[in-house]
Structure formats: C-alpha cells, structure tokens
Amino acid sequence: MPPSWALLPTLCLCLAAAPTHKYSTRVVRTKYGPLRGLILQHPPVEVFLGVPYATPPLGSLRYMPPVTPSMWRSPRLADTFSPVCPQNAPHIVNKTEALLELPRGRVAYLERLLPLLVNQSEDCLYLNIYVPRGGKSSYINKGN
Ligand SMILES: *[C@@H]1O[C@H](CO)[C@@H](O)[C@H](O)[C@H]1NC(C)=O
Ligand SMILES: *[C@@H]1O[C@H](CO)[C@@H](O)[C@H](O)[C@H]1NC(C)=O
C-alpha cells in the first residue's frame, strides 16, 4: 500500500477534528486561478482541499471525458473537502461481526475512512493536495 494512502485518513481526520484552521499566508498560482490553502502543524503540511480539476461532470457532461474547469480570478479558499464520487462502501454495523470477517487493521482503517465517504456526488472531480512544509519534507515519502 503506498504510504500516501496510509497517511491520508490520518490527515483527513486531523482536519475533521479541528474545524478552525489557520489559512496559509501565501497564495499559490495555478493554471486555473489562485489558491489559498490551510496550514497544519501536525504533521507539518500545507493543505489544499477541493481543488477542481474539471468542470463538474453533470448534465450533458455526464460520462463524458473531463472538461477543463472554468478559471477563477480571486484567490479560492481551498479549505473544504468536496463530496467523494458515488461508491458503495462497506458498512460496519457491528464491529464484532466485522472482525470475524476482516483483519483488525482493515476494520480500523475502514472506521477512519467511512466518515469521509458520507458526502457523495457525481460532482466530485476535485483534488486534495498535501504539501510538506519546513525541514520535514521527507515526511510524506517516509517508508518509500
Ligand atoms: C454484534 O454481533 C455479535 C456476534 O454476532 C453479537 O453477539 C452482538 O450482540 C452484536 N451486537 C450488536 C450491538 O448488535
Ligand atoms: C458533508 O457535508 C456537510 C454539509 O455540506 C458538511 O457539514 C460536512 O462537513 C461534510 N462532511 C464531510 C466528511 O466532508
């Protein structure tokens, strides 16, 4: 399993647990418009949530190849997760029963992940970008 996957639920939960975040002081220019992200202390990362990489694939764009997103001019606050794409995630109704069928680590992983899959929409073509900060730039790649 790539380490970024292993780390992702942890990072997501950091964000979910602390509803007030510090915005980054810098504005990052992208091809489509300026972005302002969030600063996390632990781990030390700058986070950009819900960055669109395509026009929402709704209406006539449904099931079509992704279309370039509209550009924006003023800095976009990249501070909120977008919905995730529709998916049929496994349920853990009864943890005791789940542990009869799945390894403990898998159940723990699902317990961290499932709250993040609650909001589902076909309008889901967004990226969450985690950029290492400071002297610990190897953090994300740890274990590679
Ligand atoms: C969960 O499943 C176990 C094993 O089947 C059962 O003994 C227990 O009563 C269940 N708990 C709940 C809250 O349903
Ligand atoms: C799901 O959407 C609701 C309403 O927009 C929001 O309050 C909540 O934080 C979202 N949850 C996640 C995990 O993104």
Side-chain angles (χ1 to χ4, degrees):
M1 182 163 36
S4 55
W5 265 106
L7 199 55
L8 191 56
T10 313
L11 288 168
C12 293
L13 291 183
C14 292
L15 289 163
T20 54
H21 311 294
K22 216 169 91 186
Y23 285 103
S24 177
T25 50
R26 71 176 181 144
V27 169
V28 176
R29 270 200 303 241
T30 74
K31 195 169 161 183
Y32 303 120
L35 286 176
R36 188 186 297 278
L38 301 169
I39 296 293
L40 276 195
Q41 298 302 333
H42 306 288
V45 288
E46 186 173 7
V47 183
F48 301 87
L49 299 178
V51 180
Y53 65 89
T55 299
L58 306 174
S60 63
L61 294 179
R62 196 176 196 207
Y63 301 130
M64 299 303 285
V67 171
T68 301
S70 311
M71 297 175 79
W72 61 91
R73 284 182 180 281
S74 51
R76 179 187 174 106
L77 292 179
D79 61 351
T80 311
F81 286 112
S82 74
V84 297
C85 297
Q87 56 199 285
N88 193 2
H91 292 276
I92 298 183
V93 179
N94 181 326
K95 191 173 172 180
T96 308
E97 282 188 359
L99 284 168
L100 295 177
E101 290 182 27
L102 300 170
R104 185 169 296 278
R106 176 77 178 151
V107 171
Y109 177 76
L110 286 171
E111 284 182 326
R112 292 196 305 273
L113 189 65
L114 292 177
L116 303 170
L117 304 183
V118 170
N119 294 334
Q120 301 189 5
S121 169
E122 286 182 89
D123 180 5
C124 63
L125 301 185
Y126 300 85
L127 299 172
N128 303 314
I129 302 165
Y130 300 83
V131 182
R133 293 191 300 121
K136 302 229 175 174
S137 58
S138 63
Y139 190 92
I140 294 288
N141 292 321
K142 196 166 76 178
N144 259 3

